[in-house]
Amino acid sequence: MNLAIEQNDNMKQEVIFLSEDLELVGHLYRPADYQPERRYPAIVVSHPFTGVKEQVAGRYAERLAQDGYLALAFDTAYQGESEGLPRHLETPHSRAEGIKSAVSYLSNLPDVDPERIGALGIAAGGGYAVFTARTDPRIKAVATVNAVCQGSLLRDGLNGSRSPEQLQGLLAAAAEDRTAQDRGEAAATRSALAETAQAAAEQPQRLLREAYDYYRTPRGRHPNAENRFVVSGLDALAGFDAFSRIDMLAPRPLLMIAGADADTRYFSEQAIASAAEPKELCLIAWASHFDLYDREPCVAAATAKLKAFFDRNLP
């Protein structure tokens, strides 16, 4: 259901649509040679964990529009400009419902061909895009960039770096926060990133060091991205597997793009191994996880691959 559209410029509009009675705010990008009488293929773009639409999701949506697609990057419920309390809550359910609602919104636009809608997800958004598309046949093609299963990342840590005892500590904190909220206390939140540049430099994994450089410096910082999460939401994430029964996507096509030097590359490799045909893994040479957020020529290589994929599968 379209609630409001605010014209920002010729290529980007602010749009609002409902998901579980919450207003979600998105940016809808259109091609520079847009013709309102045409019906275009469209792509839903999902942002990373604690990210917002103005960051990497918007960058890729804008590139897709330059390649002839209508592309919708939106803030998931409880985050960014979208509604929902407590703020910064992350749950697989709300993430999936947001993607489905975005597909519904696009399907009812007069300039969108509902038979040519695809999904693109970045990092955690890639995991959610795959998870959602398995059971939503309206999504005709799925692509990811440095896909991450947020559930696995919570349970196991990056490359298995989290111990069972550490996981149990997180689940105990989530349970305690639920009890505290029932007493009327505000939902507890934690930072998803190191709090200082010095703390980030001391992180043992490249992903965690680069996350600070992207999200907390002028490179990628945005005031709507506070990079926090609600502690009580961790229990739902802990039971989540983004790539379980990924074979259900078939015969719809899957493209997974990853940086050849990304700490998160193994997520895409494992998912592709379990997926059914048609499927493709594309590794971008020399690219780390965050290189594919905004570094050229890495982004150009990824968007060229995305254009070829969606041109072929949303003809």
Side-chain angles (χ1 to χ4, degrees):
M1 177 181 178
N2 174 21
L3 299 181
I5 299 179
E6 177 185 336
Q7 183 72 42
N8 290 339
D9 54 42
N10 290 333
M11 290 186 62
K12 183 174 76 172
Q13 288 180 316
E14 181 175 290
V15 300
I16 299 174
F17 57 95
L18 288 178
S19 182
E20 298 188 301
D21 295 323
L22 297 175
E23 292 186 2
L24 305 192
V25 181
H27 288 158
L28 181 62
Y29 294 81
R30 289 186 170 94
D33 60 352
Y34 171 74
Q35 301 172 37
E37 68 277 6
R38 286 185 56 187
R39 303 188 86 190
Y40 290 83
I43 313 293
V44 174
V45 184
S46 302
H47 61 70
F49 180 64
T50 78
V52 293
K53 64 185 179 301
E54 290 86 358
Q55 295 170 320
V56 59
R59 178 181 295 272
Y60 275 85
E62 184 175 22
R63 293 293 186 92
L64 287 166
Q66 292 171 3
D67 289 331
Y69 292 86
L70 268 64
L72 174 61
F74 68 98
D75 291 331
T76 196
Y78 310 99
Q79 301 176 33
E81 292 185 300
S82 293
E83 287 186 336
L85 295 173
R87 300 307 296 166
H88 315 303
L89 178 65
E90 174 97 2
T91 70
H93 174 79
S94 63
R95 279 289 213 142
E97 287 301 314
I99 294 171
K100 292 177 184 179
S101 297
V103 172
S104 297
Y105 169 76
L106 288 173
S107 297
N108 287 302
L109 291 180
D111 53 359
V112 169
D113 182 348
E115 295 301 316
R116 293 191 293 161
I117 293 178
L120 168 65
I122 298 102
Y128 293 125
V130 170
F131 176 77
T132 306
R134 295 174 318 155
T135 56
D136 192 335
R138 298 175 301 172
I139 300 174
K140 306 301 183 183
V142 183
T144 66
V145 174
N146 282 332
V148 168
C149 173
Q150 202 64 34
S152 173
L153 201 60
L154 175 67
R155 288 188 300 274
D156 308 318
L158 189 64
N159 282 302
S161 58
R162 176 160 289 143
S163 69
E165 293 76 20
Q166 289 172 320
L167 173 60
Q168 289 305 313
L170 291 173
L171 294 177
E176 182 179 344
D177 185 40
R178 289 185 179 276
T179 302
Q181 288 183 57
D182 191 65
R183 291 195 300 265
E185 297 180 22
T189 65
R190 293 183 183 179
S191 177
L193 307 174
E195 295 288 354
T196 66
Q198 179 63 35
E202 295 171 356
Q203 295 295 317
Q205 294 156 328
R206 181 178 181 179
L207 178 76
L208 301 178
R209 297 192 297 271
E210 289 189 346
Y212 182 94
D213 185 59
Y214 180 80
Y215 283 113
R216 292 289 176 84
T217 72
R219 175 184 168 192
R221 181 172 56 207
H222 193 277
N224 291 341
E226 298 182 43
N227 302 117
R228 303 193 68 82
F229 60 88
V230 174
V231 175
S232 60
L234 294 178
D235 55 3
L237 285 173
F240 173 62
D241 185 348
F243 305 123
S244 173
R245 293 306 309 272
I246 192 174
D247 60 293
M248 290 171 62
L249 272 176
R252 292 168 293 155
L254 171 67
L255 168 67
M256 303 191 81
I257 299 172
D261 291 344
D263 299 30
T264 53
R265 168 178 166 175
Y266 69 94
F267 283 110
S268 296
E269 292 176 329
Q270 292 174 1
I272 282 290
S274 298
E277 296 287 352
K279 60 183 179 180
E280 180 180 1
L281 174 66
C282 173
L283 300 179
I284 305 299
W286 312 111
S288 70
H289 184 93
F290 284 96
D291 285 340
L292 282 171
Y293 280 35
D294 63 345
R295 303 290 198 201
E296 298 295 354
C298 301
V299 173
T303 52
K305 191 68 179 180
L306 290 169
K307 180 183 187 312
F309 173 76
F310 285 123
D311 283 355
R312 182 170 65 251
N313 293 295
L314 302 176

